[in-house]
Amino acid sequence: MRIAIVCGHFIPNMGYIEVHLANALHQLNHNVIVFTTSSIPTYVGMLTSIDDKNSPYKIERLQADFTLGQMVKAKKLVPEINKFNPELVICIGVGKLFPQPIYEQKNPAYKIVTLLGDNEETYAKTYGFKKLKNKLIQIILKKKVYELAIEKSAALFPYTPSTNHIIAQFINPKLVTQLHQKSLEISLGFDKNMFFFNEEERTSKRKELNLPDDELLIITATRVVPEKNLEKIIDIIDECNQNNISVTYLIIGFHNDNYGENLKNYIQQKTYSAKIKTLPFLNAGKVRKYYNAADIGIFTRVAISIFEALATGLYLFLPQQNNVKHILNEKNGSYFNELTTKDIHKIKTSVTKNREERITLAKKFNYQNLAKKILLHSEV
């Protein structure tokens, strides 16, 4: 099948849903072209260039004619897609405005479906005047595109449990029923060819980290930014070690910025700072090896790395939030409001057991399975 993926930004070496979905559809032997721009969003501002050379599918990068924050538009989008003559167009990132011309066509020759990722964290980062300004932008610019997406899409795929609730708050009330009727909830996920458990990697990496067999290694792999509140986790790790609960903590995802340096300084002030290790942003293959070395994963915000950690059989601690409530059960992790040393101590002796069972439970989040689900519900 000829499938076009439409998204305003596309960074192959970052683990965002558009990249994984393109890979999964290609692995399922579909003819995939990604239509995007050459723009680099501010949230991955440490990148100065994008390398598409190793992509197994074609990436068509268009010149952006309009940019504002994460919003981006390109006038040539529809003509370039029409040259490809796809059977299915998958739009991702409605709030970036990029897919708008796709929805504005009167009688497109292809079926359109849309992935929706809005959740309670999407609009939670700003306060006061900035929050008001963002709300006005959302109403003035984004509202129309979301409404077009709902009307013109053959199917909608919200990928957190809270997505439709968030969107329903700012669209025309007349479209709320249609939003729910067209929706099939999916999820973020992982690439099964990249994330899996390997005992040799575990042994080798733990030896490299100089970890005894009985040492508990906890890991967080994420973009290190203030919103993640990693200071709280660092406090807990230090407290564990002060209470004779021997724990090593590894944080992957530091950038060369002021916040990263401040967080490293915060760590150095801790009594057991030697038990807290930091690494920069790493590629997926390197991160997997550290996941395999670890015993527990802790994440304070929704992230694709949650699913990648699950795929290696890690026991996870996740925040008690609607956007992650579909991920865990008592066998593969726990939700927390306020994580404590008692939580760590409680599961320390049993956490490495039942790894295979946790891996089996995670298989539903394999991107190839999610891609098949999208195609099936799109009736193509």
Side-chain angles (χ1 to χ4, degrees):
M1 185 186 303
R2 295 183 307 280
I3 302 175
I5 293 180
V6 174
C7 52
H9 303 109
F10 192 83
I11 317 293
N13 62 331
M14 300 292 283
Y16 296 119
I17 188 169
E18 56 270 17
V19 176
H20 288 299
L21 184 58
N23 286 333
L25 290 167
H26 173 77
Q27 290 163 6
L28 293 170
N29 297 316
H30 295 288
N31 181 7
V32 177
I33 297 183
V34 175
F35 293 86
T36 184
T37 70
S38 55
S39 299
I40 300 176
T42 54
Y43 55 81
V44 289
M46 71 284 187
L47 293 179
T48 56
S49 61
I50 306 172
D51 184 8
D52 295 338
K53 293 178 183 177
N54 297 320
S55 174
Y57 45 82
K58 187 175 180 182
I59 302 173
E60 189 74 37
R61 294 196 180 273
L62 308 175
Q63 181 66 41
D65 302 299
F66 165 85
T67 60
L68 177 63
Q70 292 187 37
M71 294 179 284
V72 59
K73 286 187 175 183
K75 294 177 181 177
K76 293 183 179 180
L77 176 59
V78 170
E80 291 300 318
I81 285 180
N82 288 342
K83 288 179 186 178
F84 177 44
N85 189 29
E87 297 161 78
L88 177 67
V89 173
I90 301 175
C91 296
I92 305 173
V94 178
K96 295 184 178 185
L97 309 186
F98 188 69
Q100 185 170 351
I102 303 295
Y103 304 129
E104 290 177 334
Q105 298 174 92
K106 288 187 177 180
N107 295 298
Y110 40 76
K111 184 167 286 189
I112 302 167
V113 301
T114 301
L115 272 62
L116 300 167
D118 299 70
N119 60 81
E120 58 263 40
E121 291 181 3
T122 307
Y123 309 103
K125 296 180 182 179
T126 54
Y127 303 93
F129 176 75
K130 191 174 181 181
K131 185 173 184 178
L132 177 60
K133 186 179 77 170
N134 285 357
K135 186 70 174 178
L136 289 172
I137 291 172
Q138 176 186 314
I139 293 170
I140 295 169
L141 295 177
K142 296 183 179 182
K143 179 175 181 287
K144 178 183 177 182
V145 187
Y146 277 92
E147 291 175 348
L148 283 170
I150 294 165
E151 291 179 308
K152 298 298 182 70
S153 297
L156 302 167
F157 298 96
Y159 52 88
T160 86
S162 56
T163 296
N164 280 1
H165 173 72
I166 298 296
I167 293 173
Q169 293 179 38
F170 64 82
I171 61 171
N172 188 323
K174 294 179 180 179
L175 291 174
V176 172
T177 298
Q178 195 173 353
L179 167 67
H180 292 296
Q181 287 176 341
K182 288 186 176 182
S183 290
L184 175 69
E185 186 180 309
I186 56 169
S187 176
L188 299 176
F190 65 88
D191 181 348
K192 69 175 184 178
N193 297 311
M194 181 56 67
F195 290 95
F196 48 82
F197 179 67
N198 182 285
E199 187 68 50
E200 291 181 3
E201 287 185 356
R202 177 176 173 81
T203 302
S204 174
K205 188 57 70 176
R206 287 182 71 89
K207 184 177 180 181
E208 179 185 310
L209 292 169
N210 197 28
L211 295 175
D213 290 342
D214 61 348
E215 175 74 359
L216 193 71
L217 176 60
I218 297 178
I219 189 170
T220 298
T222 188
R223 281 193 307 124
V224 174
V225 292
E227 293 82 14
K228 304 296 174 69
N229 292 318
L230 295 178
E231 290 86 351
K232 290 185 178 180
I233 309 303
I234 290 165
D235 291 346
I236 290 168
I237 300 301
D238 196 57
E239 187 179 327
C240 281
N241 284 291
Q242 289 184 45
N243 289 323
N244 296 317
I245 305 169
S246 186
V247 178
T248 298
Y249 184 41
L250 173 62
I251 308 172
I252 301 175
F254 279 80
H255 307 302
N256 293 323
D257 58 9
N258 289 335
Y259 176 70
E261 289 304 312
N262 290 338
L263 190 62
K264 288 179 182 178
N265 290 335
Y266 185 81
I267 291 169
Q268 289 304 313
Q269 295 170 23
K270 296 299 175 182
T271 305
Y272 286 86
S273 59
K275 304 276 280 186
I276 303 172
K277 303 178 184 297
T278 63
L279 287 172
F281 173 83
L282 300 174
N283 66 39
K286 291 180 179 179
V287 172
R288 182 195 65 241
K289 292 177 181 179
Y290 286 108
Y291 281 155
N292 280 326
D295 304 298
I296 296 173
I298 295 178
F299 297 89
T300 60
R301 302 286 292 266
V302 63
I304 286 179
S305 44
I306 289 171
F307 301 90
E308 296 167 347
L310 272 182
T312 66
L314 282 178
Y315 186 96
L316 300 188
F317 282 114
L318 300 182
Q320 191 77 51
Q321 295 176 180
N322 287 333
N323 55 7
V324 294
K325 69 180 183 182
H326 63 300
I327 301 173
L328 301 179
N329 59 38
E330 69 280 358
K331 294 181 180 179
N332 59 6
S334 301
Y335 292 103
F336 65 86
N337 287 316
E338 286 291 335
L339 195 64
T340 68
T341 56
K342 290 181 180 179
D343 296 314
I344 305 296
H345 186 260
K346 183 179 179 182
I347 64 162
K348 181 177 179 181
T349 57
S350 62
V351 72
T352 57
K353 298 177 183 177
N354 302 319
R355 186 185 290 268
E356 290 300 325
E357 185 176 7
R358 294 199 296 271
I359 291 170
T360 300
L361 288 168
K363 285 182 178 178
K364 64 180 179 179
F365 299 119
N366 167 4
Y367 266 115
Q368 285 196 17
N369 291 336
L370 292 169
K372 290 175 184 176
K373 193 174 182 179
I374 288 170
L375 296 182
L376 181 64
H377 193 67
S378 302
E379 296 180 348
V380 291

